[in-house]
Amino acid sequence: MARPSLADSTSRRFLAAAAMRYYVPSGPLRKLASGKVLLKLLGSVMHILRASMRLPVMLLTSGIASLAYVEYKLSQMRAPEWVTGSLEKMRGWMEGIRDSEWLRSTSSNTQDDETDDEHDRAIDMARGSSGGWGSGMGPADGGIGSDPQAGGSGGIPPPKGDYYTSPDPGSLDDDYAEPQKPAPTTNSARRDGGTDENALMELTKKLLEIQTILKTVSDEDSGGKSSSGSLKLPSIVVIGSQSSGKSSVLEAIVGQEFLPKGTNMVTRRPIELTLINTPDAAEEYGEFPQLGLDRIRDFSRIQRTLYDLNMSVPETECVSDKPIELRIYSPHVPDLRLVDLPGYIQVVNRKQPPVLKQKIRDLCETYLKQPNIILAVCAADVDLANSEALKASRRNDPLGMRTIGVITKVDTTEPDAAVHMLTQNDYPLHLGYIGVVCKPVQEKAGITSHAVMLSEAQYFNKHPGFQQPGVQIGVGTLRRKLVRVLEESMRQNLSTLVDAVRSELEETRYQIKVQYNDERVSPESYMAESLDVLKQKFKAFQQQFGKPQLRAEVQRWLESQVMNVCAELYWSDPAVQDLSNHVTRSRAAGWWADISTKVGQTATAAASVITELLAANTAKEQKGPRLSKQSDTSKDANGRGRAKNGADANEWSENDDVYWGHQLDRASALLTKSGVGRWTTQMVVDLLMDNVVSMVDAEPFVHHADTRTAVLNFSHAILRNKYHSTVDQVENTIKPFKYEVEIEPHEWSKARKRSAALIDNEIRLCRQALQKVRLSTPKKQLQQAVQFVKGAEKRGLDPLSVQAEIARRNAEQATSSQPEASDAASANSDSHDIAGNNVEDLGYSQYSPRLLRQAQQVLMVQDRLSILHMRRKALASSACASPDNKRFCPETFLDVVAEKLAYNAVLFINYELLQDFFFQFPRELDSNLYYGKTLQQTRDFASQNPHIGQQLKLIERRQRLELVMTRLNELVRQQAAVEQHGRKRSHWSTTASPSYSNPFPGL
């Protein structure tokens, strides 16, 4: 049980005495009810009453937690904004009641007595009252500042030297080392001073953490200018001329050598140095957040990294405003934030730009503005009137309210001159000047003795002038001064920072509500939704592209191959006209045979009547017909050789059947033995890849080039793994059709309709081509060019070749030198005759090559149209109604073959390739693009979409500002509690127990 304080014990005795005197009637009862018993009784009653006040606090806390949980669940279900806003207002109202002054004071009084001693012990430990290093020992105890020559050897030495240790809460005085032993302090004194100092140090540490968060909040996050320029906390800006000792001062504060050194200008970029005290850790390390370098324990490596980063600025610029961020964690450093800037220069060398001096000044001016603290470093061997650091501080801080002067190299001047420089008022600064010696001092103890190395403490203790009141010396004093000034500045700017963060948070929330309607999105949800969109598109394609659709695509491709084969073997053959005429004439011959049979029967009946009338001229009439018959027989003997001139020139023969049968076999072989398995499989692969490309080229993957490439790569890999096996299976399946094709009548009938439709489509395409040429060229010019090309072809000439030859000869004549008369005559004679024709008479120069090509195209398309019309009539004839006449109808036969090839090819393409691709694609999508992704990869993916990236930046900005606001509110409450605690302590100290002894002197 903790011992109650004096004031509380006196008040309890007063209550007990009053109760015994006025409420206990008789003396024996007073003796019976002793003071101790009554005191315990009253204490128990008061404790019960006070403990009962905790119940409302507990109920309010439970209600607040319940409301927070309900609000969280409603936010997950995307409840309306007014619901969550109402819950948030109710929760804030309950928090206000719980944190109210009267309820807090009532419920916390029961814990005051128990926590007083614990608070005392915590302050004693913080002030070092338990002994050891940092326990406040003076020089007489062998602590800091003890003179070794005076025999002060007691105490534990500091781990990092005199001025490299972190300041403890009990050593925040300005004096460097007082010779007298400090007076003992009571618990109440420690409680009043040490608590405030500890609170300030804790405030600094938390504000530095907040400043690290605020550093990531920039103006670009909100998409425009905002007030985030006020979201800054004070920093200590170190300025000075080159070689003034800035780097040595910073290294002395840190206790490590880590800054780059060199004869040339090595500090070319601002170094934002954050010192973080880690009392529970034994190691020291640094971090470069911008580079992703963590826990660098070798400070020489930090030095090399800083040198490389500074040297990355070219000599043509010499200075860059892009800062280098460095954090150092150590148990021997205070919580500080410093900025090391390039040193001022007076003269620019020949390798540096002429504007370097002004660039350095402009860069420093940006950091010297409010509310930063200026640490003006001046060397002792330079007159303060010539100090560039003081000039810069005077421009930005005319009254010197936030400037600390540091005089380095104090050992280079006489002690009296150094003391005068530290105490002068010619260049006054509100925070004063501090003299430091950052390197060991070499001095002689006597005239003949050898030189000895003195530390900073030994040097200042050796010269009594530095022990005068008001002289601030030593790196330790500088560290404590920086800590206290930074703490005070941060505390003063706390309310301003809270207002700025609140304003920025409200603006960010408004932008999210206006631009994105408070839509909830995260990198993980966006990636999942994007992949779901792709999966839904792929599923829709899978449902639309089944076996029937696959067969239709293969059939369409094979039908195009059928048209190509017919164009190559039939439509370009001059004899195809005879084939078409024979098929169409055979239909008319059948009709004529029926009519002639009936006429013959009638003629036989009348033959006997007219026989007698013709008997007289029998010999004469028989001679004529016989000769005519012989003439016909001679024509038949010549066969197709006289088919061009005779009446029976188109009469069909067995050679024609053999010829067209051979052509049909060739056409079938071209279709079945041309790699149908390879071509159909490749066609399906191309079709699948085209659909995948169309899916990833749409939203949202149009913004994700790497993801699009990954999808295409694994899709191609899936198809490539199945490609060769599918080709082999299809080729084995269609192998029987390479040798024999059996055709059923119903198959022939369907193929006949399909082939007729294909030829109709070819006719339509030819007409479109003709129409396109006629629209692009004047009609009269085109007709003249067509007639000209026809005439040239009758002469056996190619118009384009002749025109090219004429152009070549004209060019040779133009580029040659002045020819002689004989050469000109010979050239003239040559140009007048090309392939035995008069070029000038033909008029080749009247038509351009483009017009001649169009005329040739018109003639070719017209010839093709005439052939297609004949083939269309042939397919409609009765000769093509039966598969027995397949040699007369190659289009129908090849269509039947194509239909059989498509049916058998699709069977194995569907199972070997298509179904396997449909099965593996979603799984590869998840394994390659979703599972195993880090948080940073997910954020990078979402940021590639400009719309989502901007929204995520605003949401992240809001989250960081909310986090900062929460911590700032907590700090404000803690500060208010500390101030209230201080006022309460001061009140109890003024109204202590002496007044209670007079009314009751006998108690």
Side-chain angles (χ1 to χ4, degrees):
M1 181 68 182
R3 179 179 56 84
S5 62
L6 179 62
D8 293 340
S9 301
T10 305
S11 61
R12 291 177 183 176
R13 291 192 184 119
F14 165 71
L15 292 175
M20 291 177 63
R21 185 177 298 274
Y22 296 102
Y23 294 100
V24 180
S26 60
L29 291 178
R30 292 178 189 172
K31 296 179 180 179
L32 180 63
S34 63
K36 293 183 178 180
V37 175
L38 187 58
L39 184 64
K40 289 183 179 182
L41 178 61
L42 292 176
S44 300
V45 172
M46 295 297 296
H47 181 74
I48 292 173
L49 292 175
R50 291 173 180 174
S52 63
M53 295 302 298
R54 298 181 185 177
L55 182 61
V57 178
M58 294 172 60
L59 294 177
L60 286 173
T61 304
S62 302
I64 292 170
S66 302
L67 286 176
Y69 179 76
V70 172
E71 183 180 356
Y72 168 71
K73 286 297 183 181
L74 290 176
S75 63
Q76 284 187 338
M77 294 186 294
R78 299 189 177 183
E81 184 68 23
W82 65 271
V83 176
T84 56
S86 301
L87 291 176
E88 186 176 358
K89 290 181 180 179
M90 185 179 298
R91 183 162 55 88
W93 177 71
M94 296 177 68
E95 288 179 352
I97 296 177
R98 184 195 62 183
D99 298 336
S100 60
E101 186 66 30
W102 65 273
L103 188 58
R104 181 184 293 273
S105 60
T106 306
S107 60
S108 60
N109 284 337
T110 57
Q111 300 176 2
D112 288 343
D113 297 336
E114 298 177 0
T115 57
D116 282 341
D117 288 349
E118 296 179 2
H119 188 69
D120 293 342
R121 287 195 297 269
I123 295 176
D124 292 339
M125 292 177 64
R127 295 178 56 88
S129 60
S130 59
W133 172 251
S135 59
M137 293 183 297
D141 297 328
I144 300 177
S146 62
D147 192 354
Q149 298 178 358
S153 59
I156 302 174
K160 299 298 291 183
D162 296 329
Y163 47 87
Y164 288 164
T165 56
S166 59
D168 53 282
S171 60
L172 292 177
D173 298 328
D174 288 345
D175 296 336
Y176 176 75
E178 294 295 337
Q180 68 274 11
K181 185 175 182 180
T185 56
T186 61
N187 286 343
S188 60
R190 294 195 203 102
R191 194 176 301 153
D192 297 337
T195 302
D196 296 338
E197 293 165 357
N198 287 335
L200 284 175
M201 295 181 66
E202 188 67 22
L203 174 67
T204 304
K205 181 182 289 293
K206 292 183 177 180
L207 285 178
L208 286 177
E209 296 175 357
I210 291 174
Q211 188 174 18
T212 303
I213 301 175
L214 288 177
K215 187 174 178 60
T216 60
V217 180
S218 59
D219 293 344
E220 290 111 21
D221 293 338
S222 59
K225 293 184 178 180
S226 62
S227 60
S228 43
S230 60
L231 300 180
K232 292 181 180 179
L233 285 168
S235 299
I236 300 173
V237 181
V238 184
I239 58 172
S241 302
Q242 283 192 15
S243 304
S244 61
K246 294 191 292 79
S247 300
S248 300
V249 171
L250 289 176
E251 290 178 346
I253 293 174
V254 175
Q256 293 286 349
E257 186 176 357
F258 67 97
L259 291 174
K261 304 290 193 303
T263 56
N264 198 0
M265 186 176 179
V266 293
T267 304
R268 302 183 179 184
R269 296 169 58 182
I271 301 176
E272 297 182 355
L273 176 63
T274 304
L275 305 181
I276 302 173
N277 181 259
T278 54
D280 298 331
E283 61 179 358
E284 299 178 87
Y285 58 90
E287 292 182 351
F288 290 92
Q290 297 170 329
L291 306 179
L293 301 177
D294 299 334
R295 291 186 174 272
I296 305 176
R297 296 174 177 83
D298 186 4
F299 279 82
S300 61
R301 182 184 172 189
I302 296 177
Q303 189 178 34
R304 291 193 300 270
T305 304
L306 287 174
Y307 180 82
D308 294 338
L309 292 175
N310 281 284
M311 290 299 106
S312 63
V313 181
E315 291 188 358
T316 55
E317 299 180 7
C318 282
V319 172
S320 173
D321 58 353
K322 185 178 181 181
I324 301 172
E325 187 176 356
L326 173 62
R327 300 174 188 171
I328 294 180
Y329 299 81
S330 173
H332 311 301
V333 298
D335 293 305
L336 290 175
R337 181 175 176 82
L338 304 103
V339 181
D340 185 20
L341 296 174
Y344 293 101
I345 61 174
Q346 301 296 329
V347 181
V348 179
N349 62 30
R350 61 184 181 85
K351 294 183 179 180
Q352 295 173 341
V355 296
L356 177 60
K357 184 177 180 180
Q358 186 62 35
K359 289 178 66 175
I360 294 176
R361 175 177 294 183
D362 295 341
L363 176 62
C364 294
E365 293 293 328
T366 59
Y367 282 89
L368 295 180
K369 297 177 181 179
Q370 287 275 9
N372 289 338
I373 301 166
I374 304 173
L375 190 66
V377 179
C378 310
D381 54 357
V382 178
D383 192 358
L384 294 181
N386 299 324
S387 174
E388 290 290 337
L390 290 180
K391 292 180 183 178
S393 65
R394 187 69 61 87
R395 287 193 300 267
N396 295 272
D397 183 24
L399 300 179
M401 301 299 295
R402 54 186 180 91
T403 303
I404 301 175
V406 178
I407 308 298
T408 61
K409 305 177 184 180
V410 176
D411 57 304
T412 60
T413 61
E414 293 296 329
D416 295 339
V419 171
H420 175 72
M421 185 177 293
L422 293 174
T423 57
Q424 52 82 28
N425 291 323
D426 296 333
Y427 309 99
L429 297 177
H430 179 72
L431 299 176
Y433 292 86
I434 301 176
V436 295
V437 177
C438 299
K439 296 181 180 179
V441 182
Q442 184 176 358
E443 285 191 357
K444 290 186 178 181
I447 299 177
T448 59
S449 60
H450 297 287
V452 296
M453 303 299 294
L454 300 179
S455 65
E456 184 187 42
Q458 294 171 346
Y459 176 78
F460 285 138
N461 287 329
K462 183 177 180 181
H463 300 284
F466 292 109
Q467 308 299 330
Q468 299 177 12
V471 179
Q472 303 181 76
I473 53 173
V475 177
T477 303
L478 175 61
R479 295 172 64 179
R480 292 189 291 272
K481 171 79 76 173
L482 293 178
V483 170
R484 192 184 66 220
V485 171
L486 185 62
E487 288 169 350
E488 293 292 338
S489 180
M490 284 187 173
R491 186 173 64 175
Q492 292 173 3
N493 288 274
L494 183 59
S495 59
T496 304
L497 179 64
V498 171
D499 295 338
V501 172
R502 182 181 293 109
S503 175
E504 194 68 22
L505 179 58
E506 292 176 356
E507 181 181 354
T508 304
R509 287 174 176 172
Y510 176 75
Q511 291 181 1
I512 294 175
K513 185 176 183 60
V514 171
Q515 297 180 13
Y516 305 101
N517 197 22
D518 283 337
E519 181 182 358
R520 300 179 183 273
V521 67
S522 65
E524 296 81 2
S525 64
Y526 172 72
M527 174 175 279
E529 291 176 0
S530 301
L531 296 182
D532 288 341
V533 169
L534 184 58
K535 289 179 181 178
Q536 293 297 329
K537 291 181 179 179
F538 186 78
K539 185 177 181 181
F541 168 70
Q542 181 179 357
Q543 294 175 352
Q544 295 174 0
F545 192 77
K547 190 175 179 180
Q549 291 78 15
L550 176 61
R551 184 181 302 163
E553 292 293 336
V554 176
Q555 179 75 21
R556 189 178 300 112
W557 180 83
L558 288 172
E559 286 175 351
S560 66
Q561 295 300 110
V562 168
M563 293 293 102
N564 294 334
V565 171
C566 290
E568 180 181 355
L569 296 182
Y570 288 91
W571 301 342
S572 60
D573 192 343
V576 71
Q577 187 174 0
D578 296 339
L579 176 64
S580 301
N581 292 335
H582 172 70
V583 174
T584 55
R585 190 167 50 249
S586 64
R587 182 179 183 184
W591 296 342
W592 179 253
D594 296 338
I595 297 174
S596 61
T597 301
K598 296 180 179 179
V599 173
Q601 292 176 357
T602 306
T604 303
S608 59
V609 178
I610 64 175
T611 300
E612 296 179 355
L613 297 175
L614 297 176
N617 298 325
T618 300
K620 185 178 179 179
E621 291 177 0
Q622 286 179 348
K623 183 177 180 180
R626 189 180 294 116
L627 292 175
S628 178
K629 186 176 182 180
Q630 290 176 357
S631 176
D632 293 340
T633 304
S634 65
K635 290 180 182 178
D636 291 340
N638 290 331
R640 294 180 58 86
R642 298 207 313 263
K644 295 182 180 180
N645 300 319
D648 297 330
N650 292 326
E651 188 175 351
W652 198 257
S653 65
E654 294 181 359
N655 293 333
D656 295 328
D657 288 336
V658 173
Y659 174 76
W660 292 113
H662 177 66
Q663 288 291 91
L664 187 64
D665 293 338
R666 287 182 60 193
S668 178
L670 280 177
L671 187 61
T672 58
K673 297 180 181 180
S674 60
V676 175
R678 183 178 69 255
W679 289 110
T680 54
T681 306
Q682 185 63 44
M683 185 271 297
V684 175
V685 168
D686 294 341
L687 184 63
L688 293 175
M689 289 302 299
D690 290 342
N691 280 275
V692 174
V693 169
S694 64
M695 286 188 289
V696 296
D697 283 345
E699 289 283 347
F701 287 93
V702 69
H703 305 290
H704 310 289
D706 296 338
T707 305
R708 177 185 181 275
T709 304
V711 172
L712 296 179
N713 287 339
F714 71 71
S715 301
H716 183 70
I718 296 172
L719 296 173
R720 186 177 61 248
N721 292 335
K722 288 292 182 178
Y723 177 79
H724 294 288
S725 61
T726 306
V727 170
D728 295 339
Q729 291 290 345
V730 174
E731 289 291 342
N732 293 332
T733 304
I734 66 173
K735 188 177 292 185
F737 301 107
K738 297 179 181 180
Y739 305 100
E740 183 181 2
V741 178
E742 296 181 357
I743 303 176
E744 297 294 334
H746 67 276
E747 295 176 344
W748 181 267
S749 177
K750 293 180 181 179
R752 186 182 177 189
K753 296 179 181 178
R754 290 196 300 267
S755 59
L758 292 175
I759 291 181
D760 291 339
N761 185 52
E762 289 292 324
I763 293 173
R764 181 181 59 82
L765 294 176
C766 290
R767 289 174 178 172
Q768 289 179 356
L770 277 178
Q771 185 67 17
K772 183 178 180 181
V773 174
R774 288 169 179 170
L775 291 176
S776 62
T777 307
K779 182 178 181 181
K780 187 175 180 180
Q781 293 182 8
L782 185 61
Q783 289 177 353
Q784 292 176 355
V786 169
Q787 295 299 327
F788 175 76
V789 171
K790 285 182 179 180
E793 289 179 352
K794 287 180 180 180
R795 294 181 177 90
L797 297 176
D798 183 11
L800 292 175
S801 301
V802 174
Q803 195 173 43
E805 181 66 18
I806 293 174
R808 185 184 65 80
R809 292 184 180 184
N810 292 335
E812 290 179 356
Q813 291 177 2
T815 57
S816 62
S817 59
Q818 292 294 334
E820 298 180 358
S822 58
D823 295 338
S826 63
N828 263 341
S829 62
D830 291 339
S831 64
H832 280 287
D833 187 78
I834 298 178
N837 296 279
N838 195 335
V839 176
E840 295 179 355
D841 294 341
L842 294 176
Y844 284 94
S845 59
Q846 299 178 7
Y847 305 101
S848 64
R850 175 179 174 274
L851 185 59
L852 293 178
R853 282 193 295 269
Q854 289 180 344
Q856 288 179 333
Q857 184 179 359
V858 168
L859 291 175
M860 182 184 66
V861 174
Q862 287 177 349
D863 292 342
R864 177 60 60 85
L865 270 175
S866 62
I867 293 173
L868 290 174
H869 282 297
M870 287 190 297
R871 295 307 306 161
R872 183 66 178 84
K873 292 179 181 179
L875 291 177
S877 64
S878 59
C880 290
S882 173
D884 297 335
N885 296 327
K886 59 185 179 182
R887 63 185 180 279
F888 301 143
C889 310
E891 296 87 356
T892 304
F893 173 75
L894 293 177
D895 191 85
V896 173
V897 176
E899 198 274 335
K900 290 181 176 292
L901 293 176
Y903 180 82
N904 288 274
V906 165
L907 288 177
F908 284 93
I909 292 176
N910 182 55
Y911 291 106
E912 287 288 333
L913 182 67
L914 193 61
Q915 295 300 324
D916 188 75
F917 179 74
F918 287 158
F919 177 78
Q920 292 189 20
F921 183 86
R923 288 156 181 80
E924 290 292 331
L925 190 65
D926 289 335
S927 62
N928 286 276
L929 301 181
Y930 189 76
Y931 297 121
K933 293 295 182 181
T934 62
L935 180 59
Q936 185 60 40
Q937 291 175 336
T938 307
R939 289 178 178 176
D940 294 340
F941 175 84
S943 301
Q944 291 173 359
N945 189 334
H947 181 77
I948 300 298
Q950 185 67 22
Q951 184 178 1
L952 289 176
K953 285 182 180 179
L954 284 175
I955 292 176
E956 186 177 1
R957 178 186 179 87
R958 181 187 63 185
Q959 292 174 351
R960 290 175 179 175
L961 290 174
E962 288 176 347
L963 176 62
V964 169
M965 198 65 204
T966 302
R967 295 188 178 184
L968 287 176
N969 290 332
E970 182 181 355
L971 286 179
V972 170
R973 287 196 297 267
Q974 290 179 359
Q975 287 296 110
V978 169
E979 293 176 359
Q980 179 185 359
H981 186 71
R983 289 194 298 269
K984 181 187 293 186
R985 290 297 180 187
S986 62
H987 172 72
W988 280 107
S989 62
T990 56
T991 58
S993 58
S995 60
Y996 298 125
S997 58
N998 293 327
F1000 308 102
L1003 181 61

